[in-house]
Amino acid sequence: MNARVRSNLWGYFFIGPFIIGFLAFTIVPMLASLYFSFTSYGLFDSPKWIGFENYIKMFTEDPRYIQSLKVTFIYVLGGVPLRLAFALLVAMLLNAGSRAVGWYRTLYYLPSLIGGSVAVAIMWRNIFGDDGIVNLALESVGLDAIRWFGEPTAALWMLIFLSIWQFGSSMLIFLAGLKSIPASFYEAASVDGANFIQKFFRITLPMLSPVLLFNIIMQTISAFMTFVPAFIISKGTGGPLDGTLLYSLYLFKQGFEYFNMGYASAMAWVMLLIVAALTGIIFWTSKYWVHYESEGK
Amino acid sequence: MRRKSLLLVLGMMMVLLLAACSNEGSSSGSDDGKVKLRIAWWGDQPRNDYTTKVIEMYEEQNPDVEIEAEYASWDDYWQKLSPQAAANELPDIVQMDVSYLAQYAQGNKLADLTPFLGEQIDTSNMTEDYVNGGKINDGIYGMNTGVNAVGFHYDPELLEELGLGSEIAEGWTWEDYRSMSDKAAAQGVYFDTHLKPDVFFDYYLRSNGARLYAEDGSGLGYEDDQLFVEFFGMIAEQVDKGATPTPDVLAQVTGIEDDPVVKGEGVGIFQWSNQFVGLKQVAGKPLEIAPMPGPGTSEGLYLKPSMFFSVSQNSQHKEAAADFLDFFMNDVEANKLILGDRGVPGSSEVKDALKNEVSEAQQQVFEYVEWAETNSSPMGAPDPAGAGEVIELLDTLAEQISYGQLSPEDAAKSFRSQAEGMLGQ
């Protein structure tokens, strides 16, 4: 054994736990679920091979599945742009800088730390209740109270508001991006007489575009996988009228409530394909709007 | 030096691995020669408390048995039980619900109790219908711990105030229900909260000589979609005229304390008899139980097993488990602790002994169930596998009808085509 091989062995030895864990808890279960997705499997019986039947059933015989796709797309397309816009706005405010900026950064980031938790979802339920704070506010400015839990569209928007409120992590990334834009650019633009709007669209956005791309992709993926708030707020039903039946909630119901493990596995793989396709599309469009400094346009 | 540290690290990893793989308590005999049983149930704190006392009582009388309890809330319970079943590591005794019994029995996870009946388990004081509550195909896969029956739990004082008489008499009909609702709605009072679709549509079908599920569980148990249209059409009408709250109002009712009946805004609730005691406690006023509207009340009504105790197929001590079930069902002292919490007991001896022990509300329930015993028909097969999904589908469709998004006719067709697919797997 020469010295190089031996030092490599040490390397393998130290990453061994991760590799074993990755194989046992990620790769093997993934392959198993791929196999189950082609079977009819009720958890207590042995899987029966049925070919593509699960995949066909999804798009032809299951209106609730189509509904869950619709709800999830509204949630993602409605929630992600709003959340990012909000995150960018707060990041710009914090970038302006004041002495207490560290405090504010922490405060604004807090909701994201606790945002995905059960406790917040329960609190959200109360805030949006019939006699909750939101309706009191609406009534005090002379608007009608909204029945957030009785109306499918309202219930879904309530979930979207909850997701917007968790803007912290993308806000921090934007903030880092903003800090890295050289001040000389803005100074030069001021000398040429550019106003605030022009500076934002001509300097800030193009310089931020790589960071924006990263945020869009990460937020889209995580929005697609949202489960906890929908589960808690609808008490596990996805109601009213399946208005909050997010994809992962329906997947959970199929697998662990109805014991259709094969079908649930197939749903999980379709979800992977959808997320991969979306990510691919975003990447493909990125060459038209993302500018890297090294490109020297 | 380096080799030594490598050995040390490797050794530590081995220890960790072994610790992770070591088997945690199996249900076989223990070192001191005692038979060890595991038992699992779902429930609230009062139930956990008295069940623990019953177990202690049994252990005192049977010093050679040791019972280990595992309990959880309803949701957690089923999420824990399914993987245990898949791994054949179920507790010896598991509490079962009528909506899961078929699924577990057909998956060969539960033992057929027929050989123990009349041996370890004394059924001489129980009716045949009662014991058959746990029947799947040709075996008894769960011991019925007690029964419930549906009825209308109402506030007689409010009824009187509305000018609808002092009580709702046995033999009332859906026609009476409609006209009373009209009068209540005209005075701004709800007549009932709403009829839970799976429970009461099934009742309506039964009272018309059909059932929700086919006896063999392979599909729906009724041919005529008109029955669906009639029943859900009536519910939609009730919502329209304000006799039943709209779905968005109901969405705000999170617990029994929000219920219109408790607040004095509604006449009554259609629900299971074991929910009466809690309702009366929260409402804090006199309430009465009326049977379901007819015609066909006694065909429609059945005694539903509130829950079962089943013995798992992977248990090493099935006889010992059966002996504990017998104690739970037949021992008078034990039942003075249980007090009908798991449904009205089946043993006539136990029921007589409890008559003087229970609260007034519980007594009303006992009386109603006793009346129902002679005015009901056999339950038939428990819910088939896939019932959970069908119930949610029915709930969703009923919701869409109430919101006016779907006509009862279209819902009937949609329900049939989708439910047949869910059950026919």
Side-chain angles (χ1 to χ4, degrees), chain B residues 210-277:
Chain B
R211 278 192 61 195
L212 185 51
Y213 308 108
E215 198 63 22
D216 62 1
S218 63
L220 292 174
Y222 67 101
E223 293 300 321
D224 185 5
D225 277 350
Q226 193 50 36
L227 291 168
F228 186 105
V229 175
E230 280 169 19
F231 182 76
F232 287 101
M234 177 177 76
I235 289 187
E237 245 172 71
Q238 292 290 97
V239 175
D240 277 343
K241 66 191 185 194
T244 304
T246 51
D248 54 348
V249 173
L250 285 174
Q252 287 297 307
V253 178
T254 46
I256 205 158
E257 52 282 343
D258 303 332
D259 204 279
V261 179
V262 173
K263 292 174 167 174
E265 296 161 2
V267 177
I269 310 182
F270 286 100
Q271 60 178 8
W272 291 104
S273 52
N274 62 328
Q275 297 166 295
F276 182 77
V277 178

Side-chain angles (χ1 to χ4, degrees), chain A:
Chain A
M1 250 216 258
N2 63 29
R4 228 189 91 219
V5 173
R6 198 172 328 164
S7 69
N8 276 356
L9 263 185
W10 273 106
Y12 285 120
F13 173 75
F14 280 115
I15 58 169
F18 168 77
I19 292 198
I20 292 166
F22 183 69
L23 284 174
F25 299 114
T26 307
I27 294 291
V28 172
M30 266 179 90
L31 292 176
S33 90
L34 184 59
Y35 163 67
F36 288 143
S37 75
F38 294 103
T39 62
S40 161
Y41 175 40
L43 205 62
F44 297 165
D45 43 14
S46 35
K48 284 192 294 286
W49 186 266
I50 54 169
F52 279 94
E53 225 171 277
N54 284 329
Y55 292 92
I56 295 165
K57 183 185 158 188
M58 242 178 264
F59 294 101
T60 56
E61 293 170 33
D62 190 353
R64 287 188 85 188
Y65 175 77
I66 305 294
Q67 169 71 12
S68 79
L69 268 182
K70 208 162 73 187
V71 167
T72 310
F73 269 100
I74 295 173
Y75 180 79
V76 172
L77 298 175
V80 172
L82 283 171
R83 189 199 295 205
L84 290 181
F86 204 66
L88 182 55
L89 177 75
V90 177
M92 307 254 307
L93 291 174
L94 289 179
N95 196 32
S98 79
R99 223 179 294 163
V101 102
W103 270 106
Y104 287 120
R105 233 178 281 165
T106 315
L107 280 179
Y108 288 135
Y109 187 60
L110 267 182
S112 309
L113 285 179
I114 54 175
S117 69
V118 172
V120 168
I122 291 174
M123 181 186 86
W124 214 250
R125 245 198 100 85
N126 292 333
I127 290 177
F128 282 89
D130 269 12
D131 317 323
I133 230 167
V134 172
N135 277 343
L136 286 179
L138 285 174
E139 281 166 352
S140 66
V141 294
L143 295 166
D144 284 340
I146 297 176
R147 283 238 156 92
W148 294 97
F149 299 102
E151 221 280 310
T153 321
L156 181 56
W157 276 99
M158 174 175 63
L159 280 184
I160 291 174
F161 292 145
L162 176 57
S163 80
I164 293 171
W165 185 58
Q166 298 157 35
F167 60 87
S169 58
S170 25
M171 186 244 338
L172 284 185
I173 294 165
F174 277 136
L175 195 56
L178 289 170
K179 293 251 184 259
S180 70
I181 302 174
S184 55
F185 287 17
Y186 293 108
E187 285 157 15
S190 300
V191 171
D192 292 339
N195 65 19
F196 173 78
I197 305 276
Q198 285 167 318
K199 279 186 200 166
F200 178 76
F201 282 103
R202 296 293 169 88
I203 300 171
T204 313
L205 267 190
M207 292 298 290
L208 265 187
S209 56
V211 176
L212 190 62
L213 173 69
F214 174 82
N215 268 339
I216 289 178
I217 288 174
M218 294 318 266
Q219 294 298 333
T220 306
I221 293 173
S222 75
F224 238 94
M225 300 195 307
T226 308
F227 170 79
V228 171
F231 182 80
I232 300 291
I233 282 175
S234 71
K235 295 192 212 149
T237 63
L241 288 181
D242 287 345
T244 56
L245 191 70
L246 290 179
Y247 199 104
S248 49
L249 177 57
Y250 189 49
L251 194 154
F252 172 84
K253 288 172 92 72
Q254 282 291 354
F256 294 94
E257 266 182 46
Y258 312 147
F259 296 128
N260 299 330
M261 282 293 167
Y263 192 60
S265 300
M267 280 182 70
W269 279 89
V270 172
M271 181 162 158
L272 178 77
L273 293 176
I274 292 173
V275 172
L278 272 180
T279 311
I281 290 168
I282 296 168
F283 260 116
W284 178 76
T285 62
S286 72
K287 60 177 179 234
Y288 299 104
W289 58 271
V290 175
H291 309 279
Y292 292 101
E293 280 194 73
S294 54
E295 285 170 5
K297 258 193 124 160

Side-chain angles (χ1 to χ4, degrees), chain B residues 82-130:
Chain B
S82 49
Q84 281 182 331
N88 286 324
E89 286 191 0
L90 282 174
D92 301 85
I93 303 169
V94 279
Q95 192 168 294
M96 267 287 145
D97 182 76
V98 76
S99 56
Y100 285 92
L101 187 71
Q103 200 125 26
Y104 278 75
Q106 283 161 2
N108 197 24
K109 300 296 169 193
L110 304 177
D112 178 8
L113 298 174
T114 314
F116 307 113
L117 298 179
E119 296 287 326
Q120 286 85 353
I121 304 178
D122 174 14
T123 55
S124 54
N125 294 327
M126 303 173 194
T127 63
E128 200 177 335
D129 275 351
Y130 183 89

Side-chain angles (χ1 to χ4, degrees), chain B residues 55-259:
Chain B
I55 289 172
E56 281 164 8
M57 196 189 279
Y58 181 80
E59 284 175 333
E60 259 167 46
Q61 296 175 22
N62 301 273
D64 56 338
V65 181
E66 198 177 316
I67 300 182
E68 215 176 276
E70 306 166 18
Y71 42 82
S73 70
W74 169 268
D75 290 327
D76 295 344
Y77 182 80
W78 295 108
Q79 279 168 25
K80 205 166 109 181
L81 212 65
S82 49
Q84 281 182 331
N88 286 324
E89 286 191 0
L90 282 174
D92 301 85
I93 303 169
V94 279
Q95 192 168 294
M96 267 287 145
D97 182 76
V98 76
S99 56
Y100 285 92
L101 187 71
Q103 200 125 26
Y104 278 75
Q106 283 161 2
N108 197 24
K109 300 296 169 193
L110 304 177
D112 178 8
L113 298 174
T114 314
F116 307 113
L117 298 179
E119 296 287 326
Q120 286 85 353
I121 304 178
D122 174 14
T123 55
S124 54
N125 294 327
M126 303 173 194
T127 63
E128 200 177 335
D129 275 351
Y130 183 89
V131 176
N132 284 343
K135 193 170 177 160
I136 308 271
N137 304 332
D138 301 327
I140 305 283
Y141 287 94
M143 212 46 225
N144 194 342
T145 63
V147 288
N148 301 320
V150 278
F152 185 56
H153 304 168
Y154 67 97
D155 174 351
E157 284 170 14
L158 186 58
L159 196 73
E160 185 98 61
E161 265 173 56
L162 296 170
L164 299 171
S166 57
E167 62 158 10
I168 295 177
E170 195 185 316
W172 66 314
T173 62
W174 291 112
E175 216 38 65
D176 301 333
Y177 165 69
R178 279 201 176 99
S179 66
M180 284 177 167
S181 300
D182 286 344
K183 286 177 190 147
Q187 300 172 64
V189 173
Y190 294 126
F191 189 74
D192 67 293
T193 40
H194 92 305
L195 291 147
K196 195 174 168 341
D198 59 296
V199 176
F200 296 101
F201 181 44
D202 186 34
Y203 164 82
Y204 190 73
L205 290 171
R206 290 173 60 101
S207 67
N208 283 290
R211 278 192 61 195
L212 185 51
Y213 308 108
E215 198 63 22
D216 62 1
S218 63
L220 292 174
Y222 67 101
E223 293 300 321
D224 185 5
D225 277 350
Q226 193 50 36
L227 291 168
F228 186 105
V229 175
E230 280 169 19
F231 182 76
F232 287 101
M234 177 177 76
I235 289 187
E237 245 172 71
Q238 292 290 97
V239 175
D240 277 343
K241 66 191 185 194
T244 304
T246 51
D248 54 348
V249 173
L250 285 174
Q252 287 297 307
V253 178
T254 46
I256 205 158
E257 52 282 343
D258 303 332
D259 204 279

